[in-house]
Amino acid sequence: MALALAADCSGSVTPENYALQQRGYAEAFRDHEIIEAIRSGPGGSIMVCYFQWSGYDAQQMSIPWTLLNSRESIAHFASRLDEADRTIYSGGTAPAGAIAFGHKLLMNLPTKVARKVIDISGDGRTNNGPPPEKDRDEALADGITINGLPILHLEPDIEDYYKNHLIGGPGAFIVPAVDFNAFGEAIRRKFMQEIAGRAPSSAVKS
């Protein structure tokens, strides 16, 4: 599997909340169950990258495609997540742009994979650029699955927006987080579904 992680860096995400989001990603890759899921899956490995996003034309790669195939490589990726600087601090919210960026990354992988997934987190709906359906449908047409982690602290109905307008593809689902403090546990449960195929109780399928 190739997993493109898309982290919200729009203007609504405070430095404190972004730190919680990035730390949540890092800690998930230190979780024993996640490590074992990666190592026991097909080929004992996954490809993963991490990028930041806000407006439609505002995306920044933080960690390029990396092969995780051992405890050491997984630990190193977690450390790189800890150390990655936030490079986008403002701008609107354009999940369509994040999907388009992830789509391009997944179509230019350095190796062949069986599954291609964009994993997008965010706390708001589109307020910049086009609606997400066109970019979503183009990604789905190329066999990409889009899963979501909506953060509900600003817009409690953002869960429905992600479900109806963003996610799609085989087995697509969302795992909501009530706020950024809950992000770490939500992304851990989400990875268990994506990597190990174990559906969390709070997952909402498309």
Side-chain angles (χ1 to χ4, degrees):
M1 179 178 70
L3 183 60
L5 305 176
D8 188 357
C9 285
S10 58
S12 63
V13 181
T14 66
E16 294 79 13
N17 283 340
Y18 178 75
L20 289 169
Q21 181 180 206
Q22 186 166 303
R23 188 180 309 128
Y25 279 115
E27 290 303 313
F29 283 103
R30 295 188 175 102
D31 182 87
H32 173 74
E33 288 189 296
I34 301 299
I35 294 169
E36 290 307 309
I38 293 171
R39 297 180 71 238
S40 63
S45 64
I46 65 170
M47 294 289 295
V48 63
C49 69
Y50 176 84
F51 68 90
Q52 302 171 26
W53 66 275
S54 62
Y56 190 73
D57 294 314
Q59 301 87 33
Q60 181 66 48
M61 178 67 79
S62 296
I63 306 175
W65 287 118
T66 303
L67 178 65
L68 306 186
N69 61 354
S70 65
R71 292 183 184 276
E72 292 75 19
S73 61
I74 298 168
H76 182 60
F77 186 77
S79 295
R80 292 177 72 187
L81 280 167
D82 279 333
E83 297 165 2
D85 292 330
R86 179 177 182 175
T87 55
I88 301 175
Y89 291 89
S90 62
T93 301
I99 290 170
F101 189 77
H103 183 185
K104 182 182 291 186
L105 291 173
L106 285 162
M107 297 309 292
N108 291 280
L109 286 163
T111 188
K112 291 184 178 181
V113 297
R115 294 170 56 208
K116 299 176 180 179
V117 179
I118 299 171
D119 186 331
I120 182 168
S121 65
D123 68 354
R125 68 192 63 232
T126 299
N127 61 25
N128 177 275
E133 284 81 0
K134 179 176 181 293
D135 288 292
R136 178 199 63 188
D137 292 347
E138 288 177 355
L140 301 187
D142 280 328
I144 294 169
T145 295
I146 304 168
N147 296 326
L149 199 164
I151 304 158
L152 314 180
H153 69 133
L154 294 177
E155 301 181 49
D157 63 345
I158 195 67
E159 181 176 349
D160 291 333
Y161 184 77
Y162 267 58
K163 182 176 183 291
N164 295 326
H165 301 282
L166 294 188
I167 71 169
F173 69 100
I174 63 173
V175 175
V178 295
D179 56 26
F180 281 94
N181 287 305
F183 183 89
E185 175 57 21
I187 195 64
R188 189 194 71 81
R189 290 185 284 110
K190 191 163 184 290
F191 283 169
M192 288 306 299
Q193 168 68 349
E194 286 167 333
I195 298 169
R198 301 180 198 171
S201 60
S202 60
V204 180
K205 295 183 178 180
S206 64

